[in-house]
Amino acid sequence: MRVWPGSAYPLGAVWDGSGTNFAIFSEVAELVELCLFDDEGTEDRIGLSEVDGFVWHCYLPEARPGLVYGYRLHGPYKPEEGLRFNPHKLLADPYAKDFVGSLRWSDALYGYTVGHKREDLSFDRRDSATFMPKCRVLETAFTWGDDRRPDVPWHETVIYEMHVRGFTMRHPEVPQPLRGSYAGLATAPVIDHLKRLGVTTVELLPVHAFVDDRRLFDMGLRNYWGYNTLGFFAPETRYSASGKVKELKTMVKTLHTAGIEVIIDVVYNHSCEGNHLGPTLSLRGIDNAAYYILEPNDPRHYTDYTGCGNTVNLEHPRALQLVMDSLRYWAEEMHVDGFRFDLASALAREGGSVQPLGAFFDVVRQDPVLNRMKLIAEPWDLGHGGYQVGNFPLGWAEWNDRYRDGMRAYWKGDGGAIGELARRFTGSADLYGRSGRRPHASINFITAHDGFTLNDLVS
């Protein structure tokens, strides 16, 4: 293929109708290779020579949608300094909009030699490409027609938290070939059921591309919930009956036609790469110190506010840009109506503490696209000071576990619960009123995916 210089913006692989521009950020890499794969899996590598603002880029005038690719980055492997480059490991583009294939667990996916006495200080030379899902250049064009957001007022919003696969697999009237898929969620029986319940808004558990944890795989289990993200732009292909990204877009358009909003649960607080003993799949091998919060006095290890081994470092402008670009992509390209942010307190960590007026909230607030979306925080994480119910800024709603606990206590007959019931039932003004937020800042719930279904809770 011919190789032209291309542009440092936008990041990712972008088809412009003539060719494809490739751009990837890494501040400390010494060499970046774009790896192209044919239908037989044969790999062709292109060394990127153009670098602007630490963004490595090229333009391939003959590259078309459907082209399969990945990256290899060369640089220092010094875990004790927070540097974990290993060119033997194929890496997923953080901006990949589509994946082909699935991850197959192997020790070759780790930057170090698993079982070595020096653990992650060792260096593994096995090639991981055979075991990695590959990125695929996407044609994003889609006929949205007169699609418009339902814009249900907050005070009328009734949210149904839903697992795409679980719900449609269990619904008896969803056609068999569509069960477990985005297409199944767009069928008439599902929409009729939601309308009968009075639901205005579906909140989908994670639909970003994710992988099953190694520990679960070794036990013969799967990651059902999906809070283990590999890519913040690509929809999870296991939920697609057609294998095409446009299936999710069609689902959103169909639900909008029925007057139903679509909110997605997003997991930007951590990635699927885990702690220092985790695999090297994407961000770790691209720029470990930029994308993750490392222990200040021991950068070999990660600061873990999430309980999942790592925390994404939104204090770094490129990591913050990754999250913001992902949000805008899902708002503008996928037409979703809002986001529920998993462990949202972790996104507001600056200098180790939660900052309700920090950079993440500032950039969301001023964004002309995102500040009109429904933004819902899970207002806690696992770190010190992470419980922040009632402390998120104007424009944000929050999962209110005080409502959940107060209602449950009264319901099952606990003594002295009537005062708490009254406070929660009348809008939790003690939590939201002092900052000028309205009662609809409180997302009132009894059950969610963390625990029993409502039916099981009371049975």
Side-chain angles (χ1 to χ4, degrees):
M1 278 192 178
R2 290 177 294 163
V3 181
W4 295 353
S7 171
Y9 183 87
L11 291 165
V14 179
W15 157 252
D16 63 8
S18 298
T20 303
N21 192 81
F22 294 86
I24 185 171
F25 161 78
S26 181
E27 188 170 348
V28 288
E30 296 171 352
L31 171 66
V32 174
E33 292 180 307
L34 172 64
C35 306
L36 308 179
F37 296 86
D38 62 19
D39 292 341
E40 284 72 44
T42 303
E43 180 179 349
D44 184 26
R45 304 185 189 182
I46 299 172
L48 304 187
S49 58
E50 299 290 335
V51 189
D52 293 299
F54 305 117
V55 176
W56 305 68
H57 55 89
C58 75
Y59 183 89
L60 303 184
E62 298 158 15
R64 301 289 183 265
L67 179 68
V68 177
Y69 73 100
Y71 286 100
R72 297 179 188 273
L73 275 76
H74 300 249
Y77 185 80
K78 298 179 179 178
E80 65 279 10
E81 298 178 17
L83 302 171
R84 294 181 177 269
F85 292 100
N86 188 332
H88 303 285
K89 311 305 169 183
L90 185 74
L91 304 174
D93 180 0
Y95 280 75
K97 298 179 177 67
D98 191 19
F99 284 104
V100 57
S102 57
L103 183 137
R104 296 187 298 118
W105 279 109
S106 164
D107 288 351
L109 292 166
Y110 295 77
Y112 65 96
T113 303
V114 175
H116 195 281
K117 63 182 181 180
R118 299 181 69 234
E119 294 186 311
D120 61 309
L121 297 179
S122 62
F123 185 78
D124 190 87
R125 299 181 182 278
R126 286 171 291 183
D127 195 286
S128 69
T130 302
F131 307 99
M132 276 289 293
K134 310 300 190 297
C135 310
R136 183 161 53 188
V137 177
L138 181 66
E139 167 58 84
T140 59
F142 180 78
T143 304
W144 285 102
D146 61 354
D147 178 69
R148 61 188 63 185
R149 293 189 171 93
D151 285 330
V152 179
W154 267 117
H155 68 278
E156 297 177 6
T157 301
V158 178
I159 299 172
Y160 190 123
E161 188 192 45
M162 176 188 294
H163 188 285
V164 171
R165 181 169 176 81
F167 181 87
T168 56
M169 286 293 288
R170 302 284 292 179
H171 199 296
E173 296 179 50
V174 173
Q176 189 69 39
L178 301 183
R179 292 187 179 181
S181 71
Y182 306 116
L185 194 54
T187 57
V190 170
I191 291 173
D192 290 345
H193 175 69
L194 294 172
K195 300 292 279 187
R196 283 196 302 271
L197 289 175
V199 170
T200 69
T201 308
V202 293
E203 182 177 298
L204 305 181
L205 272 72
V207 295
H208 285 168
F210 68 92
V211 300
D212 297 321
D213 314 61
R214 178 70 182 268
R215 177 173 174 271
L216 295 179
F217 173 80
D218 290 343
M219 295 170 64
L221 301 174
R222 306 296 292 271
N223 186 317
Y224 177 75
W225 299 116
Y227 292 87
N228 203 38
T229 309
L230 174 63
F232 295 133
F233 291 77
E236 174 53 50
T237 56
R238 285 174 285 186
Y239 298 162
S240 175
S242 64
K244 298 183 183 300
V245 170
K246 66 180 181 181
E247 182 179 320
L248 188 145
K249 295 182 177 182
T250 301
M251 176 203 75
V252 172
K253 182 178 178 181
T254 303
L255 289 169
H256 281 178
T257 300
I260 299 173
E261 296 178 313
V262 179
I263 290 174
I264 61 171
D265 195 334
V266 288
V267 189
Y268 295 118
N269 58 78
H270 74 279
S271 83
C272 64
E273 292 183 302
N275 64 15
H276 64 292
L277 297 179
T280 296
L281 307 177
S282 183
L283 303 178
R284 171 173 286 140
I286 294 171
D287 198 322
N288 186 57
Y291 283 116
Y292 294 121
I293 301 177
L294 307 181
E295 285 292 296
N297 299 319
D298 182 15
R300 174 187 173 187
H301 295 100
Y302 297 84
T303 302
D304 182 10
Y305 295 119
T306 67
C308 300
N310 63 60
T311 308
V312 174
N313 180 21
L314 293 197
E315 286 193 75
H316 194 286
R318 289 296 186 177
L320 180 59
Q321 180 188 2
L322 172 66
V323 171
M324 295 302 295
D325 287 349
S326 169
L327 289 169
R328 276 191 295 269
Y329 177 79
W330 282 86
E332 296 181 318
E333 287 289 337
M334 300 298 192
H335 284 211
V336 301
D337 302 278
F339 305 94
R340 180 266 187 189
F341 293 82
D342 182 63
L343 299 183
S345 293
L347 305 177
R349 293 272 178 182
E350 294 185 2
S353 61
V354 178
Q355 300 293 333
L357 298 178
F360 173 69
F361 296 116
D362 287 345
V363 294
V364 171
R365 178 81 174 178
Q366 61 79 40
D367 190 282
V369 174
L370 300 177
N371 67 21
R372 295 181 290 112
M373 310 290 286
K374 284 187 171 172
L375 306 173
I376 302 172
E378 182 184 33
W380 49 76
D381 65 20
L382 274 67
H384 177 72
Y387 184 80
Q388 293 290 327
V389 173
N391 293 329
F392 275 68
L394 290 168
W396 284 75
E398 303 173 14
W399 274 28
N400 187 353
D401 65 332
R402 298 280 297 276
Y403 180 96
R404 177 199 64 196
D405 296 347
M407 289 298 178
R408 285 187 180 189
Y410 176 79
W411 195 355
K412 64 189 179 72
D414 288 1
I418 190 68
E420 183 69 1
L421 168 74
R423 281 187 291 272
R424 302 306 147 222
F425 196 74
T426 55
S428 296
D430 58 324
L431 298 176
Y432 305 107
R434 63 180 182 271
S435 60
R437 298 162 74 191
R438 304 291 297 278
H440 56 64
S442 174
I443 300 297
N444 300 326
F445 69 104
I446 303 293
T447 61
H449 65 275
D450 294 327
F452 289 121
T453 64
L454 185 61
N455 184 74
D456 288 344
L457 182 72
V458 300
S459 297

